[in-house]
Amino acid sequence: MPDYDVIILGGGPAGISSLLWCRSLNLSGLLLEQAPELGGQMLMMHHPIADYPGLLPGNGRELRDHFENHLRQFELEWQTGCHIESVNVAGRTVSCNGRQFSAQALIIATGAQRRRLGVAGEEEFRGRGVSDSATRDQLMLAGREVCVIGGGDSAFDDSLILARVCPRVTLIHRSSQFRARRVWMDEVFSHPRISVICNAEVREIIGNQERVSGVVIEDAETRAVRTVPAEGVVIQIGIAPGTEFLAGQVELDSDGYIKTDQRQRTSVKMVYAVGDVTRPVCLSVATAVGHGAIAAKDIAERLRTTSVES
Ligand code: NAP
């Protein structure tokens, strides 16, 4: 017999919701999280959260605390700091920290991580001017000339946040097509302290011993290279799914997100995927939580009918 009804990989809101719903549906569950603490991308939300029904947390960490307390109240089983050595998706076994666990069903809730530019200086100057959150780091960046990299909502939102405390903000984007919402674009393009550079690829982030001093960009058309002075650089170029460990085992889309149907079923029997790892239409805690409920419900139904039939 497998050790559990369900093993859940990932301890963000989708994984946590899955574990809670397993309990409600009388399924034994184990949640494994690689990071030292639960929360996933909730821990990257540094602003007040106004659209999660019933709670008005000051930031994602506060929301995570509510979720974790909920798990504790029901004495559910989870482990953090898990080094996942291997996952046999079809066999529904997971090797983690030298132990092997098996289950009747697997829920993959490994989320998505921030994309990296992959240029020199990006990691070197992290914490010395390079940031991935204006909300969190605005005090560190206040009073400085800054660049924001990206063309989506996050880059535009961060540019507007920084323009309140910085004398000059330069938004740098690799094309002239933006993903950001119209209202933020209008505000950014007309803001007296924000300038926008389009069609520019970041080649390097430079600086001295102490901190960042500029961003080297190359014009996508003319190939001219120049340096934009900056004492702070906020990189907001979206997220990518955490699915490398699944390559060849489950069907992924061209960007590496797991393909699912409406019940969160993947291409492999009794294997589900929930939350950001599935590229939901609306990236949000609420969507992730809903996915967890759907997957657990479908698993419970399948296990019930299987045992009735056998
Ligand atoms: P996004 O919408 O995926 O935008 C990412 C941006 O980064 C795109 O403009 C993309 O350019 C660019 N990019 C990607 N890879 C790059 C690379 N290697 N080098 C340079 N540029 C690169 O990501 P996001 O802005 O983080 O938003 C993610 C989701 O969160 C969205 O659904 C958004 O609506 C949501 N969000 C909501 C709020 C809010 O409601 N308050 C705030 C922030 C974000 P291309 O277009 O050329 O690919």
Side-chain angles (χ1 to χ4, degrees):
M1 271 298 281
D3 304 316
Y4 294 90
D5 291 327
V6 185
I7 292 177
I8 299 155
L9 295 178
I16 293 173
S17 165
S18 302
L19 188 59
L20 284 167
W21 275 90
C22 280
R23 176 197 169 273
S24 299
L25 297 162
N26 210 20
L27 301 170
S28 62
L30 168 70
L31 184 155
L32 302 171
E33 165 58 52
Q34 253 178 327
E37 56 182 328
L38 293 178
Q41 285 203 75
M42 283 193 282
L43 300 175
M44 312 294 276
M45 298 161 79
H46 305 286
H47 51 274
I49 296 161
D51 47 17
Y52 192 77
L55 296 168
L56 278 170
N59 55 42
R61 179 169 287 277
E62 217 177 294
L63 184 58
R64 187 288 308 268
D65 290 345
H66 285 290
F67 280 39
E68 189 170 325
N69 286 338
H70 200 153
L71 295 185
R72 286 188 197 287
Q73 278 191 23
F74 292 135
E75 297 180 353
L76 299 180
E77 197 176 341
W78 78 89
Q79 294 179 19
T80 52
C82 296
H83 173 61
I84 308 278
E85 283 116 22
S86 67
V87 179
N88 178 339
V89 173
R92 300 183 299 277
T93 57
V94 179
S95 296
C96 162
N97 296 349
R99 288 187 61 194
Q100 177 149 315
F101 301 100
S102 59
Q104 307 211 62
L106 201 58
I107 299 183
I108 301 163
T110 46
Q113 291 74 41
R114 285 179 188 279
R115 275 199 202 103
R116 303 261 186 251
L117 280 169
V119 299
E122 182 177 21
E123 298 310 321
E124 186 187 342
F125 293 107
R126 202 163 283 280
R128 289 190 290 149
V130 170
S131 158
D132 54 26
S133 169
T135 320
R136 184 192 58 215
D137 292 333
Q138 55 184 304
L139 278 180
M140 171 183 92
L141 298 170
R144 301 179 186 275
E145 274 191 41
V146 295
C147 287
V148 177
I149 320 294
D153 275 343
S154 301
F156 277 73
D157 192 16
D158 277 13
S159 298
L160 291 166
I161 289 168
L162 290 172
R164 291 186 211 127
V165 295
C166 297
R168 179 159 198 80
V169 178
T170 307
L171 186 141
I172 298 171
H173 181 41
R174 65 180 176 185
S175 77
S176 51
Q177 304 294 316
F178 296 96
R179 294 178 196 259
R181 63 193 73 176
R182 186 80 250 165
V183 58
W184 286 349
M185 283 172 57
D186 291 344
E187 222 180 311
V188 161
F189 286 121
S190 61
H191 199 293
R193 281 191 298 283
I194 304 178
S195 34
V196 178
I197 301 176
C198 296
N199 303 317
E201 290 160 15
V202 175
R203 290 286 166 240
E204 189 179 352
I205 296 171
I206 56 171
N208 51 38
Q209 293 263 313
E210 312 235 302
R211 64 180 301 118
V212 161
S213 62
V215 178
V216 180
I217 56 171
E218 181 174 339
D219 188 287
E221 283 155 21
T222 65
R223 293 290 152 208
V225 175
R226 67 181 169 112
T227 299
V228 182
E231 296 172 291
V233 181
V234 177
I235 301 167
Q236 283 291 13
I237 56 171
I239 54 175
T243 52
E244 301 80 13
F245 69 105
L246 294 170
Q249 295 203 70
V250 62
E251 208 175 324
L252 307 176
D253 73 11
S254 55
D255 292 324
Y257 290 87
I258 302 175
K259 288 189 179 178
T260 60
D261 67 10
Q262 283 189 325
R263 299 171 188 187
Q264 306 308 130
R265 294 181 181 186
T266 69
S267 57
V268 181
K269 194 173 175 196
M270 296 308 286
V271 177
Y272 292 72
V274 295
D276 289 358
V277 77
T278 67
R279 201 205 290 265
V281 173
C282 173
L283 267 181
S284 70
V285 176
T287 307
V289 165
H291 279 184
I294 294 167
K297 184 85 181 155
D298 196 59
I299 292 168
E301 187 64 19
R302 275 169 112 177
L303 293 183
R304 190 182 62 77
T305 48
T306 307
S307 63
V308 167
E309 280 162 13
S310 58

